[in-house]
Amino acid sequence: NIDWLALENLRIRSAFSHTSTELTDDVPSLIRTITPPGFGTAFEDGIKGDRLPGSPENQFSLFASYDMPLSNGRELTFNGGYAWQSDVLSRAGGRGDSLTLDSFGIANLSATYRADNWTATLFIDNAFDEFAETGVEQTALFNQTVSGATNRYFKSNVLAPRSMGVRFGIDF
């Protein structure tokens, strides 16, 4: 982590993390899957060295904040940030019809006006309107037609699209 006061009113923060997670031994029947057609259960073994699911190996963030005192004693603050993460496996070792969620980055911007005990903030979240899958439930094998009925149990969660707005706050 780095937190740097670059100028009197400009603060820059950044962070990087690397996580290396893997199975340290073989694990029999670790990954539950199914055998289409139908939903018969099958299992796959996890193999020593398989990457664990659910977390990116690398993450990076960079944020800047600039405070601008105004002549009337109030303050204007500009904030900008970018956070990125590498890909994520949905199942250990990419086995069992695992899905690899692509890496993605997101930028957020805001400007806040502070006066006495209240604030007004203009914001843009996901400024570049990045599309990314952030999580999944089940696998694509769970979407199938059985006995004429279409079953859809697989789903992915996605990053919220760009949003812009105004927030107001008051301190009591």
Side-chain angles (χ1 to χ4, degrees):
N1 289 338
I2 296 172
D3 190 349
W4 176 41
L5 188 59
L7 301 170
E8 181 180 344
N9 297 336
L10 176 64
R11 179 174 299 277
I12 298 172
R13 297 175 310 277
S14 70
F16 174 80
S17 68
H18 174 78
T19 305
S20 182
T21 59
E22 62 184 41
L23 293 177
T24 57
D25 276 316
D26 292 351
V27 181
S29 301
L30 176 68
I31 300 119
R32 180 181 173 267
T33 187
I34 63 171
T35 54
F39 297 96
T41 299
F43 292 91
E44 290 189 33
D45 296 342
I47 306 299
K48 179 180 179 176
D50 278 354
R51 181 176 155 197
L52 295 180
S55 62
E57 288 183 303
N58 297 298
Q59 296 181 74
F60 169 77
S61 62
L62 178 65
F63 298 94
S65 182
Y66 183 78
D67 295 321
M68 188 169 72
L70 303 174
S71 60
N72 60 4
R74 296 175 178 181
E75 186 177 73
L76 193 55
T77 301
F78 299 96
N79 296 296
Y82 182 79
W84 175 88
Q85 71 173 43
S86 62
D87 66 5
V88 173
L89 298 179
S90 67
R91 302 228 170 158
R95 301 176 188 284
D97 202 40
S98 177
L99 180 67
T100 299
L101 304 174
D102 291 336
S103 61
F104 70 91
I106 183 171
N108 298 314
L109 305 167
S110 70
T112 300
Y113 181 79
R114 285 185 181 79
D116 301 323
N117 66 336
W118 63 271
T119 61
T121 302
L122 298 173
F123 67 89
I124 303 174
D125 291 340
N126 193 0
F128 302 116
D129 204 21
E130 177 77 16
F131 175 84
E133 292 176 306
T134 60
V136 296
E137 290 184 31
Q138 305 297 351
T139 73
L141 291 176
F142 282 81
N143 289 351
Q144 53 182 304
T145 300
V146 178
S147 300
T150 301
N151 298 284
R152 297 189 183 275
Y153 297 108
F154 171 71
K155 76 171 194 173
S156 64
N157 301 313
V158 296
L159 191 62
R162 178 187 311 125
S163 62
M164 297 174 264
V166 179
R167 282 190 285 266
F168 294 98
I170 190 164
D171 294 328
F172 295 98

